[in-house]
PDB file of all heavy atoms in Angstrom:
ATOM      1  N   ILE A   1      48.033 -83.955 -70.814  1.00 96.00           N
ATOM      2  CA  ILE A   1      47.188 -85.096 -71.003  1.00 96.00           C
ATOM      3  C   ILE A   1      45.711 -84.645 -70.761  1.00 96.00           C
ATOM      4  O   ILE A   1      45.373 -84.061 -69.782  1.00 96.00           O
ATOM      5  CB  ILE A   1      47.565 -86.235 -70.048  1.00 96.00           C
ATOM      6  CG1 ILE A   1      48.951 -86.752 -70.325  1.00 96.00           C
ATOM      7  CG2 ILE A   1      46.523 -87.312 -70.136  1.00 96.00           C
ATOM      8  CD1 ILE A   1      49.495 -87.690 -69.295  1.00 96.00           C
ATOM      9  N   LEU A   2      44.868 -84.891 -71.816  1.00 97.00           N
ATOM     10  CA  LEU A   2      43.457 -84.637 -71.695  1.00 97.00           C
ATOM     11  C   LEU A   2      42.860 -85.947 -71.470  1.00 97.00           C
ATOM     12  O   LEU A   2      43.102 -87.027 -72.205  1.00 97.00           O
ATOM     13  CB  LEU A   2      42.963 -83.974 -72.971  1.00 97.00           C
ATOM     14  CG  LEU A   2      43.614 -82.774 -73.505  1.00 97.00           C
ATOM     15  CD1 LEU A   2      43.019 -82.275 -74.824  1.00 97.00           C
ATOM     16  CD2 LEU A   2      43.561 -81.649 -72.530  1.00 97.00           C
ATOM     17  N   TYR A   3      41.960 -86.066 -70.509  1.00 97.00           N
ATOM     18  CA  TYR A   3      41.231 -87.373 -70.217  1.00 97.00           C
ATOM     19  C   TYR A   3      39.766 -87.267 -69.967  1.00 97.00           C
ATOM     20  O   TYR A   3      39.249 -86.027 -69.697  1.00 97.00           O
ATOM     21  CB  TYR A   3      41.947 -88.062 -69.138  1.00 97.00           C
ATOM     22  CG  TYR A   3      41.864 -87.432 -67.684  1.00 97.00           C
ATOM     23  CD1 TYR A   3      40.910 -87.836 -66.816  1.00 97.00           C
ATOM     24  CD2 TYR A   3      42.646 -86.333 -67.384  1.00 97.00           C
ATOM     25  CE1 TYR A   3      40.753 -87.212 -65.526  1.00 97.00           C
ATOM     26  CE2 TYR A   3      42.604 -85.751 -66.101  1.00 97.00           C
ATOM     27  CZ  TYR A   3      41.615 -86.120 -65.207  1.00 97.00           C
ATOM     28  OH  TYR A   3      41.471 -85.554 -64.005  1.00 97.00           O
ATOM     29  N   ASN A   4      39.104 -88.295 -69.936  1.00 97.00           N
ATOM     30  CA  ASN A   4      37.633 -88.365 -69.648  1.00 97.00           C
ATOM     31  C   ASN A   4      36.858 -87.453 -70.656  1.00 97.00           C
ATOM     32  O   ASN A   4      35.998 -86.773 -70.232  1.00 97.00           O
ATOM     33  CB  ASN A   4      37.438 -87.882 -68.153  1.00 97.00           C
ATOM     34  CG  ASN A   4      35.897 -88.059 -67.778  1.00 97.00           C
ATOM     35  OD1 ASN A   4      35.260 -88.940 -68.304  1.00 97.00           O
ATOM     36  ND2 ASN A   4      35.497 -87.293 -66.787  1.00 97.00           N
ATOM     37  N   GLY A   5      37.209 -87.662 -71.884  1.00 98.00           N
ATOM     38  CA  GLY A   5      36.496 -86.908 -72.840  1.00 98.00           C
ATOM     39  C   GLY A   5      35.911 -87.859 -73.989  1.00 98.00           C
ATOM     40  O   GLY A   5      36.161 -89.110 -73.958  1.00 98.00           O
ATOM     41  N   ARG A   6      35.132 -87.234 -74.886  1.00 98.00           N
ATOM     42  CA  ARG A   6      34.616 -88.021 -76.012  1.00 98.00           C
ATOM     43  C   ARG A   6      35.299 -87.331 -77.215  1.00 98.00           C
ATOM     44  O   ARG A   6      34.905 -86.413 -77.759  1.00 98.00           O
ATOM     45  CB  ARG A   6      33.109 -87.913 -76.109  1.00 98.00           C
ATOM     46  CG  ARG A   6      32.438 -88.676 -75.085  1.00 98.00           C
ATOM     47  CD  ARG A   6      30.855 -88.430 -75.076  1.00 98.00           C
ATOM     48  NE  ARG A   6      30.512 -87.109 -74.725  1.00 98.00           N
ATOM     49  CZ  ARG A   6      29.345 -86.566 -74.918  1.00 98.00           C
ATOM     50  NH1 ARG A   6      28.384 -87.289 -75.458  1.00 98.00           N
ATOM     51  NH2 ARG A   6      29.107 -85.333 -74.555  1.00 98.00           N
ATOM     52  N   ILE A   7      36.409 -87.971 -77.634  1.00 98.00           N
ATOM     53  CA  ILE A   7      37.307 -87.328 -78.573  1.00 98.00           C
ATOM     54  C   ILE A   7      37.079 -87.887 -79.958  1.00 98.00           C
ATOM     55  O   ILE A   7      37.288 -89.087 -80.180  1.00 98.00           O
ATOM     56  CB  ILE A   7      38.810 -87.556 -78.262  1.00 98.00           C
ATOM     57  CG1 ILE A   7      39.037 -86.913 -76.755  1.00 98.00           C
ATOM     58  CG2 ILE A   7      39.750 -86.898 -79.241  1.00 98.00           C
ATOM     59  CD1 ILE A   7      40.355 -87.319 -76.251  1.00 98.00           C
ATOM     60  N   THR A   8      36.595 -87.049 -80.874  1.00 98.00           N
ATOM     61  CA  THR A   8      36.446 -87.432 -82.370  1.00 98.00           C
ATOM     62  C   THR A   8      37.679 -87.076 -83.016  1.00 98.00           C
ATOM     63  O   THR A   8      38.082 -85.856 -83.171  1.00 98.00           O
ATOM     64  CB  THR A   8      35.247 -86.660 -82.886  1.00 98.00           C
ATOM     65  OG1 THR A   8      34.053 -87.047 -82.220  1.00 98.00           O
ATOM     66  CG2 THR A   8      35.107 -86.965 -84.349  1.00 98.00           C
ATOM     67  N   THR A   9      38.377 -88.092 -83.492  1.00 98.00           N
ATOM     68  CA  THR A   9      39.643 -87.879 -84.115  1.00 98.00           C
ATOM     69  C   THR A   9      39.619 -87.599 -85.683  1.00 98.00           C
ATOM     70  O   THR A   9      40.546 -87.062 -86.202  1.00 98.00           O
ATOM     71  CB  THR A   9      40.628 -89.140 -84.011  1.00 98.00           C
ATOM     72  OG1 THR A   9      39.993 -90.199 -84.742  1.00 98.00           O
ATOM     73  CG2 THR A   9      40.659 -89.487 -82.544  1.00 98.00           C
ATOM     74  N   LEU A  10      38.523 -87.971 -86.284  1.00 98.00           N
ATOM     75  CA  LEU A  10      38.388 -88.015 -87.746  1.00 98.00           C
ATOM     76  C   LEU A  10      39.445 -88.856 -88.489  1.00 98.00           C
ATOM     77  O   LEU A  10      39.694 -88.738 -89.694  1.00 98.00           O
ATOM     78  CB  LEU A  10      38.402 -86.579 -88.287  1.00 98.00           C
ATOM     79  CG  LEU A  10      37.263 -85.701 -87.849  1.00 98.00           C
ATOM     80  CD1 LEU A  10      37.395 -84.241 -88.535  1.00 98.00           C
ATOM     81  CD2 LEU A  10      35.913 -86.341 -88.171  1.00 98.00           C
ATOM     82  N   ASP A  11      40.112 -89.701 -87.752  1.00 98.00           N
ATOM     83  CA  ASP A  11      41.025 -90.723 -88.288  1.00 98.00           C
ATOM     84  C   ASP A  11      40.193 -92.071 -88.413  1.00 98.00           C
ATOM     85  O   ASP A  11      39.816 -92.613 -87.513  1.00 98.00           O
ATOM     86  CB  ASP A  11      42.190 -90.957 -87.366  1.00 98.00           C
ATOM     87  CG  ASP A  11      43.193 -92.033 -87.829  1.00 98.00           C
ATOM     88  OD1 ASP A  11      43.002 -92.571 -89.014  1.00 98.00           O
ATOM     89  OD2 ASP A  11      44.200 -92.296 -87.087  1.00 98.00           O
ATOM     90  N   PRO A  12      39.984 -92.457 -89.659  1.00 97.00           N
ATOM     91  CA  PRO A  12      39.148 -93.689 -89.859  1.00 97.00           C
ATOM     92  C   PRO A  12      39.683 -94.942 -89.111  1.00 97.00           C
ATOM     93  O   PRO A  12      38.974 -95.873 -88.871  1.00 97.00           O
ATOM     94  CB  PRO A  12      39.126 -93.794 -91.400  1.00 97.00           C
ATOM     95  CG  PRO A  12      40.223 -93.006 -91.900  1.00 97.00           C
ATOM     96  CD  PRO A  12      40.456 -92.005 -90.966  1.00 97.00           C
ATOM     97  N   ASP A  13      41.073 -94.924 -88.978  1.00 96.00           N
ATOM     98  CA  ASP A  13      41.628 -96.081 -88.320  1.00 96.00           C
ATOM     99  C   ASP A  13      41.447 -96.062 -86.812  1.00 96.00           C
ATOM    100  O   ASP A  13      41.670 -97.176 -86.105  1.00 96.00           O
ATOM    101  CB  ASP A  13      43.144 -96.100 -88.620  1.00 96.00           C
ATOM    102  CG  ASP A  13      43.450 -96.316 -90.104  1.00 96.00           C
ATOM    103  OD1 ASP A  13      42.634 -97.037 -90.771  1.00 96.00           O
ATOM    104  OD2 ASP A  13      44.444 -95.796 -90.613  1.00 96.00           O
ATOM    105  N   TYR A  14      41.139 -94.961 -86.202  1.00 97.00           N
ATOM    106  CA  TYR A  14      40.948 -94.825 -84.785  1.00 97.00           C
ATOM    107  C   TYR A  14      39.991 -93.654 -84.514  1.00 97.00           C
ATOM    108  O   TYR A  14      40.510 -92.664 -84.098  1.00 97.00           O
ATOM    109  CB  TYR A  14      42.301 -94.653 -84.080  1.00 97.00           C
ATOM    110  CG  TYR A  14      42.346 -95.108 -82.669  1.00 97.00           C
ATOM    111  CD1 TYR A  14      42.746 -96.397 -82.343  1.00 97.00           C
ATOM    112  CD2 TYR A  14      41.945 -94.215 -81.645  1.00 97.00           C
ATOM    113  CE1 TYR A  14      42.711 -96.771 -80.958  1.00 97.00           C
ATOM    114  CE2 TYR A  14      41.990 -94.642 -80.361  1.00 97.00           C
ATOM    115  CZ  TYR A  14      42.336 -95.960 -80.061  1.00 97.00           C
ATOM    116  OH  TYR A  14      42.485 -96.425 -78.682  1.00 97.00           O
ATOM    117  N   PRO A  15      38.748 -93.755 -84.803  1.00 98.00           N
ATOM    118  CA  PRO A  15      37.792 -92.641 -84.871  1.00 98.00           C
ATOM    119  C   PRO A  15      37.461 -92.064 -83.484  1.00 98.00           C
ATOM    120  O   PRO A  15      37.169 -90.809 -83.512  1.00 98.00           O
ATOM    121  CB  PRO A  15      36.553 -93.219 -85.538  1.00 98.00           C
ATOM    122  CG  PRO A  15      36.648 -94.673 -85.254  1.00 98.00           C
ATOM    123  CD  PRO A  15      38.133 -95.040 -85.230  1.00 98.00           C
ATOM    124  N   GLU A  16      37.511 -92.752 -82.375  1.00 98.00           N
ATOM    125  CA  GLU A  16      37.109 -92.230 -81.108  1.00 98.00           C
ATOM    126  C   GLU A  16      38.091 -92.606 -79.982  1.00 98.00           C
ATOM    127  O   GLU A  16      38.789 -93.590 -80.080  1.00 98.00           O
ATOM    128  CB  GLU A  16      35.727 -92.856 -80.664  1.00 98.00           C
ATOM    129  CG  GLU A  16      34.565 -92.365 -81.481  1.00 98.00           C
ATOM    130  CD  GLU A  16      34.118 -90.947 -81.109  1.00 98.00           C
ATOM    131  OE1 GLU A  16      34.279 -90.585 -79.984  1.00 98.00           O
ATOM    132  OE2 GLU A  16      33.535 -90.298 -82.003  1.00 98.00           O
ATOM    133  N   ALA A  17      38.304 -91.687 -79.077  1.00 98.00           N
ATOM    134  CA  ALA A  17      39.184 -91.916 -77.933  1.00 98.00           C
ATOM    135  C   ALA A  17      38.651 -91.176 -76.734  1.00 98.00           C
ATOM    136  O   ALA A  17      37.720 -90.320 -76.880  1.00 98.00           O
ATOM    137  CB  ALA A  17      40.543 -91.374 -78.217  1.00 98.00           C
ATOM    138  N   SER A  18      39.135 -91.653 -75.529  1.00 97.00           N
ATOM    139  CA  SER A  18      38.649 -90.934 -74.289  1.00 97.00           C
ATOM    140  C   SER A  18      39.837 -90.102 -73.741  1.00 97.00           C
ATOM    141  O   SER A  18      39.514 -89.296 -72.813  1.00 97.00           O
ATOM    142  CB  SER A  18      38.314 -92.051 -73.323  1.00 97.00           C
ATOM    143  OG  SER A  18      39.293 -92.817 -72.970  1.00 97.00           O
ATOM    144  N   ASN A  19      41.065 -90.375 -74.050  1.00 97.00           N
ATOM    145  CA  ASN A  19      42.156 -89.491 -73.571  1.00 97.00           C
ATOM    146  C   ASN A  19      43.171 -89.335 -74.735  1.00 97.00           C
ATOM    147  O   ASN A  19      43.223 -90.118 -75.650  1.00 97.00           O
ATOM    148  CB  ASN A  19      42.731 -89.915 -72.261  1.00 97.00           C
ATOM    149  CG  ASN A  19      43.408 -91.374 -72.385  1.00 97.00           C
ATOM    150  OD1 ASN A  19      44.378 -91.528 -73.161  1.00 97.00           O
ATOM    151  ND2 ASN A  19      42.889 -92.279 -71.679  1.00 97.00           N
ATOM    152  N   LEU A  20      43.987 -88.239 -74.488  1.00 96.00           N
ATOM    153  CA  LEU A  20      44.917 -87.855 -75.509  1.00 96.00           C
ATOM    154  C   LEU A  20      46.190 -87.219 -74.898  1.00 96.00           C
ATOM    155  O   LEU A  20      46.007 -86.477 -73.931  1.00 96.00           O
ATOM    156  CB  LEU A  20      44.160 -86.816 -76.361  1.00 96.00           C
ATOM    157  CG  LEU A  20      44.889 -86.222 -77.620  1.00 96.00           C
ATOM    158  CD1 LEU A  20      43.897 -85.888 -78.695  1.00 96.00           C
ATOM    159  CD2 LEU A  20      45.530 -84.921 -77.178  1.00 96.00           C
ATOM    160  N   ALA A  21      47.370 -87.603 -75.395  1.00 96.00           N
ATOM    161  CA  ALA A  21      48.534 -87.034 -74.888  1.00 96.00           C
ATOM    162  C   ALA A  21      49.208 -86.134 -75.919  1.00 96.00           C
ATOM    163  O   ALA A  21      49.290 -86.432 -77.141  1.00 96.00           O
ATOM    164  CB  ALA A  21      49.477 -88.230 -74.473  1.00 96.00           C
ATOM    165  N   ILE A  22      49.774 -85.064 -75.350  1.00 97.00           N
ATOM    166  CA  ILE A  22      50.362 -83.986 -76.325  1.00 97.00           C
ATOM    167  C   ILE A  22      51.790 -83.701 -75.789  1.00 97.00           C
ATOM    168  O   ILE A  22      52.013 -83.582 -74.622  1.00 97.00           O
ATOM    169  CB  ILE A  22      49.539 -82.685 -76.265  1.00 97.00           C
ATOM    170  CG1 ILE A  22      48.150 -82.967 -76.861  1.00 97.00           C
ATOM    171  CG2 ILE A  22      50.253 -81.590 -76.975  1.00 97.00           C
ATOM    172  CD1 ILE A  22      47.217 -81.764 -76.631  1.00 97.00           C
ATOM    173  N   GLY A  23      52.766 -83.654 -76.740  1.00 96.00           N
ATOM    174  CA  GLY A  23      54.079 -83.304 -76.388  1.00 96.00           C
ATOM    175  C   GLY A  23      54.791 -82.550 -77.574  1.00 96.00           C
ATOM    176  O   GLY A  23      54.558 -82.987 -78.749  1.00 96.00           O
ATOM    177  N   GLY A  24      55.570 -81.489 -77.317  1.00 95.00           N
ATOM    178  CA  GLY A  24      56.163 -80.727 -78.288  1.00 95.00           C
ATOM    179  C   GLY A  24      55.253 -80.209 -79.354  1.00 95.00           C
ATOM    180  O   GLY A  24      55.618 -80.037 -80.546  1.00 95.00           O
ATOM    181  N   GLY A  25      54.007 -79.843 -78.914  1.00 97.00           N
ATOM    182  CA  GLY A  25      53.062 -79.200 -79.907  1.00 97.00           C
ATOM    183  C   GLY A  25      52.365 -80.173 -80.862  1.00 97.00           C
ATOM    184  O   GLY A  25      51.518 -79.758 -81.585  1.00 97.00           O
ATOM    185  N   ARG A  26      52.582 -81.523 -80.632  1.00 97.00           N
ATOM    186  CA  ARG A  26      51.944 -82.547 -81.525  1.00 97.00           C
ATOM    187  C   ARG A  26      51.250 -83.528 -80.698  1.00 97.00           C
ATOM    188  O   ARG A  26      51.414 -83.683 -79.503  1.00 97.00           O
ATOM    189  CB  ARG A  26      52.927 -83.119 -82.429  1.00 97.00           C
ATOM    190  CG  ARG A  26      53.521 -82.136 -83.389  1.00 97.00           C
ATOM    191  CD  ARG A  26      54.459 -82.718 -84.409  1.00 97.00           C
ATOM    192  NE  ARG A  26      54.918 -81.706 -85.362  1.00 97.00           N
ATOM    193  CZ  ARG A  26      54.426 -81.487 -86.598  1.00 97.00           C
ATOM    194  NH1 ARG A  26      53.425 -82.213 -86.982  1.00 97.00           N
ATOM    195  NH2 ARG A  26      54.989 -80.583 -87.365  1.00 97.00           N
ATOM    196  N   ILE A  27      50.283 -84.248 -81.331  1.00 97.00           N
ATOM    197  CA  ILE A  27      49.678 -85.423 -80.661  1.00 97.00           C
ATOM    198  C   ILE A  27      50.696 -86.536 -80.546  1.00 97.00           C
ATOM    199  O   ILE A  27      51.364 -86.950 -81.528  1.00 97.00           O
ATOM    200  CB  ILE A  27      48.464 -85.860 -81.543  1.00 97.00           C
ATOM    201  CG1 ILE A  27      47.466 -84.795 -81.852  1.00 97.00           C
ATOM    202  CG2 ILE A  27      47.716 -86.994 -80.896  1.00 97.00           C
ATOM    203  CD1 ILE A  27      46.820 -84.145 -80.713  1.00 97.00           C
ATOM    204  N   LEU A  28      50.788 -87.049 -79.204  1.00 96.00           N
ATOM    205  CA  LEU A  28      51.688 -88.164 -79.060  1.00 96.00           C
ATOM    206  C   LEU A  28      50.886 -89.521 -79.120  1.00 96.00           C
ATOM    207  O   LEU A  28      51.435 -90.460 -79.695  1.00 96.00           O
ATOM    208  CB  LEU A  28      52.356 -88.063 -77.747  1.00 96.00           C
ATOM    209  CG  LEU A  28      53.299 -86.915 -77.478  1.00 96.00           C
ATOM    210  CD1 LEU A  28      53.874 -86.912 -76.114  1.00 96.00           C
ATOM    211  CD2 LEU A  28      54.431 -86.941 -78.551  1.00 96.00           C
ATOM    212  N   GLY A  29      49.738 -89.502 -78.507  1.00 96.00           N
ATOM    213  CA  GLY A  29      49.006 -90.794 -78.418  1.00 96.00           C
ATOM    214  C   GLY A  29      47.607 -90.632 -77.959  1.00 96.00           C
ATOM    215  O   GLY A  29      47.202 -89.621 -77.498  1.00 96.00           O
ATOM    216  N   LEU A  30      46.808 -91.705 -78.232  1.00 96.00           N
ATOM    217  CA  LEU A  30      45.430 -91.756 -77.899  1.00 96.00           C
ATOM    218  C   LEU A  30      45.133 -92.968 -76.971  1.00 96.00           C
ATOM    219  O   LEU A  30      45.658 -94.049 -77.199  1.00 96.00           O
ATOM    220  CB  LEU A  30      44.557 -91.834 -79.099  1.00 96.00           C
ATOM    221  CG  LEU A  30      44.706 -90.615 -80.122  1.00 96.00           C
ATOM    222  CD1 LEU A  30      44.215 -91.059 -81.481  1.00 96.00           C
ATOM    223  CD2 LEU A  30      43.990 -89.437 -79.550  1.00 96.00           C
ATOM    224  N   ASP A  31      44.328 -92.745 -75.905  1.00 95.00           N
ATOM    225  CA  ASP A  31      43.910 -93.829 -75.065  1.00 95.00           C
ATOM    226  C   ASP A  31      45.093 -94.503 -74.358  1.00 95.00           C
ATOM    227  O   ASP A  31      45.009 -95.603 -73.990  1.00 95.00           O
ATOM    228  CB  ASP A  31      43.084 -94.846 -75.842  1.00 95.00           C
ATOM    229  CG  ASP A  31      41.657 -94.327 -76.048  1.00 95.00           C
ATOM    230  OD1 ASP A  31      41.216 -93.412 -75.321  1.00 95.00           O
ATOM    231  OD2 ASP A  31      41.001 -94.845 -76.973  1.00 95.00           O
ATOM    232  N   GLU A  32      46.093 -93.738 -74.205  1.00 78.00           N
ATOM    233  CA  GLU A  32      47.321 -94.253 -73.508  1.00 78.00           C
ATOM    234  C   GLU A  32      47.851 -93.240 -72.504  1.00 78.00           C
ATOM    235  O   GLU A  32      49.012 -93.120 -72.272  1.00 78.00           O
ATOM    236  CB  GLU A  32      48.424 -94.666 -74.463  1.00 78.00           C
ATOM    237  CG  GLU A  32      48.017 -95.853 -75.332  1.00 78.00           C
ATOM    238  CD  GLU A  32      49.046 -96.087 -76.440  1.00 78.00           C
ATOM    239  OE1 GLU A  32      49.832 -95.252 -76.720  1.00 78.00           O
ATOM    240  OE2 GLU A  32      48.966 -97.199 -77.051  1.00 78.00           O
ATOM    241  N   GLY A  33      46.846 -92.441 -72.021  1.00 56.00           N
ATOM    242  CA  GLY A  33      47.203 -91.348 -71.118  1.00 56.00           C
ATOM    243  C   GLY A  33      48.093 -91.786 -69.889  1.00 56.00           C
ATOM    244  O   GLY A  33      48.993 -91.161 -69.545  1.00 56.00           O
ATOM    245  N   GLU A  34      47.739 -92.874 -69.220  1.00 60.00           N
ATOM    246  CA  GLU A  34      48.365 -93.287 -68.015  1.00 60.00           C
ATOM    247  C   GLU A  34      49.777 -93.698 -68.378  1.00 60.00           C
ATOM    248  O   GLU A  34      50.656 -93.507 -67.558  1.00 60.00           O
ATOM    249  CB  GLU A  34      47.504 -94.428 -67.370  1.00 60.00           C
ATOM    250  CG  GLU A  34      46.274 -93.922 -66.754  1.00 60.00           C
ATOM    251  CD  GLU A  34      46.368 -92.653 -65.922  1.00 60.00           C
ATOM    252  OE1 GLU A  34      47.263 -92.686 -65.025  1.00 60.00           O
ATOM    253  OE2 GLU A  34      45.583 -91.832 -66.032  1.00 60.00           O
ATOM    254  N   GLU A  35      50.011 -94.294 -69.499  1.00 66.00           N
ATOM    255  CA  GLU A  35      51.327 -94.642 -69.889  1.00 66.00           C
ATOM    256  C   GLU A  35      52.159 -93.495 -70.070  1.00 66.00           C
ATOM    257  O   GLU A  35      53.346 -93.476 -69.645  1.00 66.00           O
ATOM    258  CB  GLU A  35      51.242 -95.496 -71.252  1.00 66.00           C
ATOM    259  CG  GLU A  35      52.550 -96.032 -71.666  1.00 66.00           C
ATOM    260  CD  GLU A  35      52.364 -96.952 -72.916  1.00 66.00           C
ATOM    261  OE1 GLU A  35      51.360 -97.338 -73.272  1.00 66.00           O
ATOM    262  OE2 GLU A  35      53.513 -97.219 -73.527  1.00 66.00           O
ATOM    263  N   TYR A  36      51.643 -92.425 -70.704  1.00 63.00           N
ATOM    264  CA  TYR A  36      52.441 -91.199 -70.842  1.00 63.00           C
ATOM    265  C   TYR A  36      52.576 -90.561 -69.422  1.00 63.00           C
ATOM    266  O   TYR A  36      53.628 -89.987 -69.127  1.00 63.00           O
ATOM    267  CB  TYR A  36      51.802 -90.252 -71.761  1.00 63.00           C
ATOM    268  CG  TYR A  36      51.965 -90.640 -73.251  1.00 63.00           C
ATOM    269  CD1 TYR A  36      51.024 -91.373 -73.886  1.00 63.00           C
ATOM    270  CD2 TYR A  36      53.139 -90.285 -73.884  1.00 63.00           C
ATOM    271  CE1 TYR A  36      51.212 -91.835 -75.184  1.00 63.00           C
ATOM    272  CE2 TYR A  36      53.324 -90.662 -75.197  1.00 63.00           C
ATOM    273  CZ  TYR A  36      52.398 -91.421 -75.825  1.00 63.00           C
ATOM    274  OH  TYR A  36      52.578 -91.806 -77.189  1.00 63.00           O
ATOM    275  N   ALA A  37      51.582 -90.626 -68.555  1.00 58.00           N
ATOM    276  CA  ALA A  37      51.714 -89.981 -67.289  1.00 58.00           C
ATOM    277  C   ALA A  37      52.826 -90.611 -66.470  1.00 58.00           C
ATOM    278  O   ALA A  37      53.503 -89.970 -65.698  1.00 58.00           O
ATOM    279  CB  ALA A  37      50.363 -90.125 -66.526  1.00 58.00           C
ATOM    280  N   ASP A  38      53.098 -91.993 -66.614  1.00 54.00           N
ATOM    281  CA  ASP A  38      54.108 -92.618 -65.745  1.00 54.00           C
ATOM    282  C   ASP A  38      55.466 -92.121 -66.090  1.00 54.00           C
ATOM    283  O   ASP A  38      56.341 -92.101 -65.235  1.00 54.00           O
ATOM    284  CB  ASP A  38      54.005 -94.110 -66.057  1.00 54.00           C
ATOM    285  CG  ASP A  38      52.735 -94.790 -65.406  1.00 54.00           C
ATOM    286  OD1 ASP A  38      52.177 -94.165 -64.598  1.00 54.00           O
ATOM    287  OD2 ASP A  38      52.418 -95.859 -65.890  1.00 54.00           O
ATOM    288  N   ILE A  39      55.719 -91.730 -67.433  1.00 50.00           N
ATOM    289  CA  ILE A  39      57.057 -91.240 -67.754  1.00 50.00           C
ATOM    290  C   ILE A  39      57.118 -89.748 -67.898  1.00 50.00           C
ATOM    291  O   ILE A  39      58.221 -89.250 -68.132  1.00 50.00           O
ATOM    292  CB  ILE A  39      57.389 -91.933 -69.139  1.00 50.00           C
ATOM    293  CG1 ILE A  39      56.630 -91.414 -70.272  1.00 50.00           C
ATOM    294  CG2 ILE A  39      57.438 -93.418 -69.075  1.00 50.00           C
ATOM    295  CD1 ILE A  39      57.055 -91.794 -71.656  1.00 50.00           C
ATOM    296  N   SER A  40      56.074 -89.088 -67.681  1.00 52.00           N
ATOM    297  CA  SER A  40      56.112 -87.584 -67.794  1.00 52.00           C
ATOM    298  C   SER A  40      56.730 -86.913 -66.588  1.00 52.00           C
ATOM    299  O   SER A  40      56.824 -87.544 -65.525  1.00 52.00           O
ATOM    300  CB  SER A  40      54.711 -87.085 -68.055  1.00 52.00           C
ATOM    301  OG  SER A  40      53.886 -87.353 -67.046  1.00 52.00           O
ATOM    302  N   THR A  41      57.070 -85.688 -66.811  1.00 61.00           N
ATOM    303  CA  THR A  41      57.717 -84.939 -65.690  1.00 61.00           C
ATOM    304  C   THR A  41      56.542 -84.531 -64.726  1.00 61.00           C
ATOM    305  O   THR A  41      55.398 -84.491 -65.085  1.00 61.00           O
ATOM    306  CB  THR A  41      58.383 -83.738 -66.199  1.00 61.00           C
ATOM    307  OG1 THR A  41      57.448 -82.877 -66.784  1.00 61.00           O
ATOM    308  CG2 THR A  41      59.405 -84.037 -67.262  1.00 61.00           C
TER     309      THR A  41
END
């Protein structure tokens, strides 16, 4: 989980985020870091 950033996604539907979750080598979610943290190992 990357957090406290200024994340430019280049996705017109969601252009900016402050945190990002990664799993299995892919992007899992944006701006839902704590939700992923609760279920992560």
